Every structure is written in C-alpha cells, then in structure tokens.
Amino acid sequence: MATYWTRTLIPTLRQDPAEAEVPSHRLMLRAGLIRQLSAGLYTYLPLGWRALHKAIQIVRAEMDAAGAAEMFMPAIEPIELLAETKREIEYGPDLFRFEDRRGHVNALAPTHEEVITEAMRAYVESYRQLPLNLYQIQTKFRDEPRPRFGVLRCREFIMKDAYSFHLTVDGPGGLDETYRRMYDAYCRIFDRCGLRYEIVEAESGPIGGSASHEFMVICDTGEDTILKSDKGNFASNVAKCAIGEREWSLEGAPTGDLEKVYTPDCGSIEAVGKFMKVKPKHLLKTLIYFSGEDVVIAVVRGDHNVNEGKLKAVWGGSVTLDEELCAQLFPIGFVGPHLVAERDTLNLVVDYDAAQDQFWASGANEIDHHVKHFNWKRDVLDLIDSSRVKVADIRNAQDGDPSPIGDGGVLRAHKGIEVGHVFKLGTKYSDAMGFTVLDENQKQRLVIMGCYGIGLGRILAAAIETSHDEDGIIWPAAIAPYCVHIVPIKFDGELCKICSDLAGELEAAGLDVLIDDRPERPGVKFKDADLIGCPVRLTVSEKTLAKDSVELKLRRERESKGELVRRDQIVARCADIISGERV
Ligand code: ATP
Ligand code: MG
C-alpha cells in the first residue's frame, strides 16, 4: 500500500537546525528522518526508519548469501563477562553500566564478542562443528566522549555484527576463507547501497599482515584520515599507515655550540617556534611514555605526530601517557632528547625524520628553556649506551609521504567515514574465555575467530554526505525511503483516484510510493520532495492529465524540467529507472 503523507509523520523543517555541523546531520533532521532525544540518542522517524530498513535488508540478504546465520543476543550483559576479557577496564568510561534490582552490575553491550563466545563455548566441543559464522542486527551502546554528527557518532546505534569460528587460519574452513567471503559480501553490500568507498588496511590484529580492513566512504566531513598512494595500489588508515623508506643518520657534526635560550611560557611547539623563530620542522617534539619500570622518550619532528601503535610495536611492549606522573618527574613542555642521559631507566625512540643531521632546536630539560644546535652525536650518542636508542617509523603518515610499497608512489590524505570493519581476531577471546575444541587428534585447541561489523545508521548518513545538493538529499534508489514520490498539484476530486490507482500499479511492480496528499501549495510540496530526495517524482495535475500524461522528474537531474510521460507507460518507465539505478 502506498503511503499518504498525511497518514505518516514527516516533519520537514524549512530552516537549517543550528546544532547540525555536517550536511547529513542537517538534512536528516530537515527531511524529518530522525529526531534527537538527547546527546547521541536519536529516534528514527518513519522516513528514516524505512531507509534504514532497506539498508538492513540488503545487509541481511548478503550475510545470508555469504553463509552466515542470523541470531539475536541481549543488549544487556553481566559485567563478569566483560571482566573475563578485561574489556570491562579497556572500554573505560565508554561502557554504560548499571546495577539491577538484585545489585548485579550489568553493561549495555558496546559489541558482542563475549556474549557470542560464551554461547559458543557452551555448545561447540569438536572441530567437526566448525567453521561457523553467526551474525545479528542489534543495538549497541557506547558512551562516546564526543557524540556528534547525528547518527554518524551516537551513543546508541544499530550494528550488524558477525563472528566466525575456525580451527585453522588457512585452508578450507579456515579463517582466511571466511574473511575473504565477508570482505566480498561487504563490497556487494556497499555497492548495492549505492556508496562509493575505499577499502583500507587498518590496525592489524594478532594475526598480522592485512588482518583488518575498514570500508571507508571518502568525504571531507569524515572523522578518519586515510592515506592513498597516487599509484592506486595502497590505501591505509592513518592509525596503521606505514611510510616508505627514509634515510637517516645520528652521526653528523654539530651545527654550532649548544645554546640555551630563555623561552618563558612557551610550552607548545607553535609557541616555541614563533618565539625562537624556528620552523616546526627544525624543532624536536618529545613525548614521554611509561612502560612498566621503563620510560620511553618518543621523538618526532615538530610538524609530525607520534603514532602510538607504531611506537608500541617498535618498543615491543605497551606504552602509556600519564600526564600527571610525567609532570611530577619531568619539565613537561621543555624536555629534549638529551634527557635520556640523566637516568638509566630512560630510553629513546627516534623517528626517521627526526634522526637527521641538521639544525635542531629542542627542549633544554629545564622549565622555561630550550636549546639551539642540539646534536644527536654530541648530546646523546656519545653519552649513553647505544642500546638505549632506537630509530624507527613512529609517526603518523601524512600527505606527501612516500608510499610504503616503495614504487615511487606518493601518499595523499583523505577524510573518510568508516561504515564497516572486518577483523581477524585470532584467539584473543577464545583464549581469555577458555573456548577450546577437540581437533582430529583429540587435542584441545583454541578456536580462531574473526569479527565483522557494519554501522547501519552510518550507511544512511554516508550516502547523504556524498549525495545531496543545496535543496536536499539525493537518495541512491536502493535505500531511498520511497522509490517514487507522487505530487498531485491539488489533491481532490478525480486526482485522488488517479493518484491512488497509479500508486497501486507502481506498488504492484515492486516500487514503493509516497503520495503527498497535503492541502499545501505546489511550491511547498516540490521543495519538500527535493528535500526528502526520492529518486523519481511524478507530478499529477489536470494539465498533465488533459494530455493523458504525468510529469516525471528525476531527483538527481536537478536542472531538468521534467518530462511528460504517457499514463500507460509510466510504470514501466519508473521500473526501468529504479532497476537501472540499483546494482
Ligand atoms: P570508530 O573508530 O568510528 O569509533 P569503531 O572502530 O569503534 O569506530 P567498531 O567497533 O569496529 O567501530 O564497530 C563497527 C562499526 O560500527 C563501525 O565500522 C561503524 O560503522 C559503526 N560504529 C561504531 N561506533 C559508532 C557510533 N558511535 N555511532 C554510530 N556508528 C558507529
Ligand atoms: Mg569507536
């Protein structure tokens, strides 16, 4: 049955809502798709829910086709389950917790690895029961520090999450096989949803290599940074992105005597640079991390940023920033690499670009002071055992860096929205939760897992972010709330019946229809039709009917005037257009 505008709730807004910073948020509010209840909490209104439901159905169909079985887990989980994997601590304040009437502490699930592993541990005992791939479409809760951009980053959101279980990584039934199948299914899902996306290497899990990929919709408002080689053969999230080889040396002669400079109130790179008249690329930026008993001083160029993932990998253990402790022990804001010579427990990890023989200014290890002509050999290497100094890639990649492929490619930075993520978990959860199965030789083996997430709301927002104009949304047909939007110039008399007959025929052909039956002026209806952005608009008036026709206009053809199409051809035309748009 077609939907009549007056029988549903589509509260379109004329004005841009002040709180919306990005186009998708603004348009989702203006087109009456969502309503904010509180920070990061949204109601999907009928139009938004229809669009979301279409995305969900595509995801569901592709998951089923990939051999995953749907199930449904509770959104509440006892805290003890998250304690088994220490994620109760890892999630920190992002985890919503509450006490029930019996005094038990529970969490609102931010994701479901523990819940699914608990069920699998109970039912699966033998390798013969593997592989298994299970998924659900369920609400997740995360008390994000900065909920924003509408449904792009909220505190309650619907995710499709899948988990696969294997005895091996390689071979038939192994993790790699399912991972590949899910990766391919993700491509089909996002293709079908009409999204243009990049697949990037992301933070790799315990299995190493390309063990994790993110599906990113490139757009300026994205919160993630990805780097792509201009040769088109490499793309990575900045969190993981390696950088091509760079030459380095710590052996060069000094550029002058070490000179102490009084730099009052200059605790930041920008302030010091300005005050000393030194460019950031000639300043050394030092960050102090703690690793058990050890202190790791990470050094990068002033215009670069430390990548903690890389630092951790180079150092070979966990590293944490503790500003309070640091402030008690060191002259924060005025630390230079030669601090390393002051105590045995201090170690240096220097980025390649900071390990250069050139003029350097750095902190003087004394409040309110910096030095000029810092020299690696004279001021560090000659004073300590060289085993306390490592030189490596420890910074974030940035636009203009060499591609790690080493083929002369240059990395270019783009912003992106992460819509999906596939991850080879390995045995992280099975190990923590004691989930083993008997193999062919009756030996207990830890089960190998993969996990695969898609943010459903983000599909809608990303589609709008990349497909809109100043008048409103331009929906990809597959996830549009309705395929066809019928606008009668006046909804009365004979026109009512004609619209409802036409809608009936369109619906019978598999196209869902919205009829704007409001007693509004045509101008208002057209503006709202552009705003909510259904792919096909059909205008019905006495004038068009006198020619036994209806006016057809495509939302994505903004400038076109519309075309008169004969009444008996209209259904076939609409069906053609919509099927042509769908993948
Ligand atoms: P992000 O880095 O953006 O916070 P994440 O790495 O925490 O994402 P996952 O835990 O991998 O995300 O969750 C799977 C998917 O769920 C993501 O790819 C994303 O599409 C979606 N998602 C994650 N957090 C949110 C959120 N706060 N609001 C809406 N969707 C989200
Ligand atoms: Mg997150």
Side-chain angles (χ1 to χ4, degrees):
M1 254 274 284
T3 304
Y4 287 87
W5 189 299
T6 58
R7 300 271 65 85
T8 182
L9 179 66
I10 312 176
T12 55
L13 306 173
R14 285 283 88 80
Q15 304 296 328
D16 278 343
E19 73 270 26
E21 298 164 70
V22 296
S24 61
H25 187 195
R26 195 175 71 228
L27 289 170
M28 287 182 89
L29 289 168
R30 277 195 57 200
L33 302 181
I34 55 170
R35 174 172 178 79
Q36 183 175 333
L37 179 63
S38 168
L41 301 178
Y42 289 88
T43 296
Y44 278 89
L45 297 168
L47 225 49
W49 184 245
R50 284 186 72 92
L52 191 72
H53 208 255
K54 287 192 179 179
I56 287 176
Q57 289 303 32
I58 290 172
V59 169
R60 185 171 271 139
E62 292 297 342
M63 284 298 104
D64 292 345
E70 187 168 2
M71 61 191 287
F72 191 75
M73 292 176 265
I76 297 176
E77 59 181 315
I79 201 77
E80 292 78 19
L81 207 50
L82 286 163
E84 283 190 42
T85 59
K86 301 208 169 63
R87 286 217 291 185
E88 179 207 356
I89 300 155
E90 250 172 55
Y91 262 107
D94 281 15
L95 193 67
F96 278 106
R97 313 153 184 264
F98 67 96
E99 208 171 282
D100 62 25
R101 65 199 297 162
R102 289 173 192 84
H104 290 151
V105 179
N106 299 281
L108 295 177
T111 164
H112 280 78
E113 279 84 359
E114 288 84 355
V115 183
I116 188 106
T117 306
E118 188 280 331
M120 290 289 292
R121 176 174 71 183
Y123 297 130
V124 176
E125 291 164 353
S126 155
Y127 74 98
R128 286 179 213 278
Q129 293 166 275
L130 300 179
L132 267 178
N133 188 1
L134 301 165
Y135 79 98
Q136 68 168 348
I137 292 167
Q138 168 62 300
T139 302
K140 306 286 186 233
F141 300 86
R142 295 180 186 179
D143 203 353
E144 296 274 356
R146 289 192 69 193
R148 59 184 184 151
F149 302 157
V151 298
L152 279 172
R153 182 166 301 283
C154 32
R155 300 196 297 162
E156 172 179 332
F157 57 97
I158 301 179
M159 194 201 285
K160 183 287 298 173
D161 48 324
Y163 307 89
S164 71
F165 304 87
H166 316 264
L167 192 68
T168 59
V169 174
D170 305 317
L175 171 63
D176 281 352
E177 185 184 75
T178 299
Y179 188 82
R180 188 70 225 178
R181 200 174 290 154
M182 294 298 268
Y183 181 108
D184 292 342
Y186 273 41
C187 294
R188 278 192 301 277
I189 288 167
F190 298 125
D191 284 339
R192 283 181 64 182
C193 288
L195 294 178
R196 268 168 294 138
Y197 56 92
E198 284 290 335
I199 303 168
V200 307
E201 286 181 17
E203 188 196 346
S204 49
I207 291 178
S210 301
S212 166
H213 290 91
E214 288 167 346
F215 289 72
M216 292 277 188
V217 172
I218 306 293
C219 69
D220 291 342
T221 48
E223 286 186 281
D224 280 290
T225 300
I226 72 163
L227 291 126
K228 264 172 71 178
S229 168
D230 59 2
K231 297 245 189 224
N233 55 1
F234 175 83
S236 173
N237 191 315
V238 67
K240 149 102 198 286
C241 189
I243 305 171
E245 254 182 61
R246 288 152 289 157
E247 296 199 345
W248 60 275
S249 157
L250 297 178
E251 298 290 335
T255 51
D257 289 342
L258 194 68
E259 180 188 332
K260 199 153 85 177
V261 187
Y262 179 53
T263 52
D265 304 325
C266 292
S268 74
I269 288 285
E270 293 72 37
V272 182
K274 259 201 188 131
F275 188 86
M276 293 176 81
K277 298 202 171 50
V278 173
K279 292 206 174 85
K281 66 177 185 185
H282 287 284
L283 278 162
L284 291 172
K285 189 192 273 182
T286 46
L287 274 97
I288 296 184
Y289 291 86
F290 296 92
S291 179
E293 297 289 292
D294 284 304
V295 173
V296 182
I297 307 171
V299 188
V300 296
R301 230 166 63 178
D303 55 339
H304 291 153
N305 290 309
V306 172
N307 179 307
E308 286 185 17
K310 290 183 182 181
L311 178 64
K312 209 163 118 186
V314 170
W315 174 247
S318 74
V319 291
T320 47
L321 274 179
D322 183 336
E323 283 178 24
E324 243 171 70
L325 182 59
C326 200
Q328 287 168 20
L329 299 174
F330 307 106
I332 286 200
F334 303 92
V335 170
H338 44 313
L339 179 74
V340 72
E342 291 182 10
R343 272 177 243 174
D344 289 349
T345 49
L346 305 180
N347 303 274
L348 270 183
V349 182
V350 186
D351 182 64
Y352 291 129
D353 293 306
Q356 301 291 331
D357 299 318
Q358 62 163 54
F359 169 84
W360 288 117
S362 92
N365 298 319
E366 185 183 329
I367 293 285
D368 283 344
H369 289 83
H370 280 79
V371 292
K372 278 182 174 176
H373 301 291
F374 169 85
N375 177 261
W376 284 109
K377 183 160 171 27
R378 180 192 61 202
D379 302 321
V380 172
L381 287 194
D382 286 351
L383 309 179
I384 63 162
D385 190 293
S386 62
S387 66
R388 284 163 60 199
V389 184
K390 282 186 183 169
V391 179
D393 172 16
I394 57 159
R395 70 166 172 91
N396 282 341
Q398 61 187 35
D399 196 275
D401 280 337
S403 160
I405 301 282
D407 56 357
V410 175
L411 296 178
R412 292 292 163 214
H414 304 266
K415 288 284 176 193
I417 296 171
E418 179 194 323
V419 286
H421 191 179
V422 291
F423 200 97
K424 294 183 192 174
L425 288 171
T427 54
K428 177 173 171 187
Y429 293 92
S430 51
D431 196 7
M433 297 182 65
F435 174 28
T436 59
V437 292
L438 286 176
D439 69 8
E440 302 93 319
N441 306 317
Q442 299 301 305
K443 270 218 182 101
Q444 292 287 354
R445 296 250 300 266
L446 285 174
V447 172
I448 296 167
M449 290 171 61
C451 73
Y452 318 87
I454 290 182
L456 278 321
R458 277 198 193 171
I459 291 184
L460 302 193
I464 296 170
E465 213 53 58
T466 50
S467 181
H468 68 271
D469 61 21
E470 61 208 52
D471 296 325
I473 301 168
I474 305 175
W475 282 109
I479 54 172
Y482 295 92
C483 295
V484 180
H485 186 162
I486 297 180
V487 181
I489 290 296
K490 233 189 194 167
F491 193 73
D492 62 5
E494 197 198 0
L495 279 188
C496 304
K497 170 141 176 42
I498 286 168
C499 286
S500 102
D501 289 350
L502 183 57
E505 290 167 36
L506 287 162
E507 295 253 339
L511 305 176
D512 48 358
V513 180
L514 174 68
I515 302 173
D516 191 347
D517 59 337
R518 293 175 297 169
E520 290 283 358
R521 282 181 292 111
V524 171
K525 294 189 180 185
F526 291 147
K527 264 204 153 24
D528 276 345
D530 282 347
L531 180 58
I532 68 179
C534 300
V536 178
R537 187 183 89 193
L538 299 178
T539 310
V540 187
S541 68
E542 272 157 7
K543 255 207 264 167
T544 64
L545 288 177
K547 293 187 185 141
D548 196 27
S549 300
V550 167
E551 187 200 84
L552 179 147
K553 191 170 181 305
L554 299 188
R555 176 64 183 90
R556 68 180 140 77
E557 289 176 6
R558 184 150 180 257
E559 302 304 332
S560 86
K561 292 239 13 108
E563 172 197 352
L564 278 183
V565 178
R566 283 232 331 262
R567 179 74 181 74
D568 57 359
Q569 289 171 1
I570 196 76
V571 176
R573 269 300 291 284
C574 290
D576 263 6
I577 290 165
I578 298 298
S579 69
E581 282 212 0
R582 282 184 180 152
V583 181

